[in-house]
Amino acid sequence: MDIAAALRAFVHVVERGSVTAAARDLSVSQPAVTKQLRNLERHVGARLLERSARMVRPTAQGITLYEASRSALATIDAALEGVRHEMGAIEGLLRVHAPSCIGAKHLHPIALAFQERHPSVTIDLVLENRAVDLVYEGFDLALRYGRPDGQELIVRRLGLVRRILVASPQFLARSGPIGTPAQLSEIDVVTSATLLSPRDSLPLQRGGESINVPVRPIMRVNHADAVTATLLSGRAAGPVQHLLVTEELAAGSLVRILPDYEVKPTEAFWTFPSVRFMRPVVRAFTDFAIPALRAVEGVDAGDMRSEAA
């Protein structure tokens, strides 16, 4: 039995929760992975996985073996890829997770540009609005809103994602000009529920001043594209991530209202698992993506001395 191959199959099954998904990742057949797992369990003399119709989960002994094996395999992969990198090759699979809003609008084009430079790299770019466990779910990198905790991660701060107040010219033609925060209480607003207090107040900032303004949301939605579409329709005004509407602002299809005020921004972070050796493709994409993301209009990079590891 090839112990390294069997351990690699086992680690992939644990991280993916599926023999089929692990086989796809490893470019081998499902029966081949099943055989490797069976041989590994026979070799260690313990049951390592519990299987159900929907999920494969590690047993207590399996968790112990997984924790001991994953970092060792990552170190081996990094060392091998490092040798290839010294020969001028950046290649391999890169799994990246990001929020759907900034991911689709900005990280996706950055990933395409990176692949143009390194065509031997395959990128799994997963865009969804949830926090992920990078290690357990097998991601190399994640772009996150809000500082992550509870994991052994390397964290690099990207900056503040700014939110501004906007409306369409059609909306303003009906409502009239909006010159004070108090007027927000008198108009229809679209926003995400996470921005509002339990009593539907919107937190605004101007310089060092912070105020909470009661608003009347006609719609609360959990997807940034839907917020933007509602704003463009002229049905409501509201807060939006600046980086999502730069083109609309330039074209005049949306305009800023109360330009002296902004909604409390969100910190964005670039994170990856803490392992002894960073794979060259991970390092190369990090070095490529971070400056590009910090240059996005609507991201306030500020003083990067606050980065932490």
Side-chain angles (χ1 to χ4, degrees), residues 42-242:
R42 186 180 299 116
H43 181 75
V44 300
R47 187 176 183 84
L48 300 174
L49 296 166
E50 295 288 353
R51 299 166 177 83
S52 68
R54 294 185 177 181
M55 181 68 71
V56 179
R57 297 182 184 276
T59 62
Q61 292 82 4
I63 292 173
T64 300
L65 182 62
Y66 168 76
E67 293 293 343
S69 301
R70 65 177 178 83
S71 59
L73 289 172
T75 299
I76 292 170
D77 289 341
L80 293 173
E81 193 169 333
V83 173
R84 291 193 293 268
H85 178 57
E86 290 178 0
M87 302 301 294
I90 294 177
E91 58 188 17
L93 175 65
L94 185 67
R95 301 195 72 233
V96 184
H97 187 275
S100 57
C101 47
I102 191 172
K105 185 81 170 181
H106 295 286
L107 188 57
H108 175 249
I110 291 170
L112 289 177
F114 181 78
Q115 277 191 315
E116 288 183 8
R117 293 192 181 189
H118 306 289
S120 296
V121 174
T122 299
I123 299 178
D124 285 352
L125 182 58
V126 179
L127 306 178
E128 53 187 358
N129 297 321
R130 70 180 182 93
V132 295
D133 184 321
L134 274 71
V135 173
Y136 190 77
E137 297 184 53
F139 286 102
D140 297 297
L141 297 161
L143 195 166
R144 291 188 172 183
Y145 285 169
R147 179 178 286 276
D149 55 18
Q151 292 183 347
E152 292 185 359
L153 300 175
I154 297 173
V155 178
R156 295 184 64 180
R157 183 178 181 272
L158 291 174
L160 294 174
V161 176
R162 297 170 53 206
R163 287 186 173 88
I164 59 176
L165 296 162
V166 303
S168 70
Q170 307 95 289
F171 180 85
L172 293 174
R174 294 197 313 272
S175 69
I178 301 170
T180 66
Q183 288 179 273
L184 293 175
S185 303
E186 304 168 3
I187 63 173
D188 292 338
V189 170
V190 59
T191 184
S192 65
T194 56
L195 290 183
L196 298 176
S197 73
R199 296 186 177 182
D200 287 341
S201 290
L202 191 64
L204 299 183
Q205 297 180 342
R206 182 178 65 176
E209 174 192 6
S210 297
I211 59 173
N212 287 298
V213 180
V215 294
R216 186 177 66 208
I218 62 162
M219 182 178 292
R220 303 180 189 89
V221 63
N222 67 344
H223 200 288
D225 287 347
V227 172
T228 303
T230 305
L231 293 166
L232 288 169
S233 74
R235 181 66 183 85
V240 67
Q241 292 180 44
H242 191 176

Side-chain angles (χ1 to χ4, degrees), residues 1 35-46 48:
M1 179 182 65
K35 182 179 179 180
Q36 287 174 322
L37 296 175
R38 185 167 56 247
N39 289 341
L40 183 61
E41 288 182 325
R42 186 180 299 116
H43 181 75
V44 300
L48 300 174

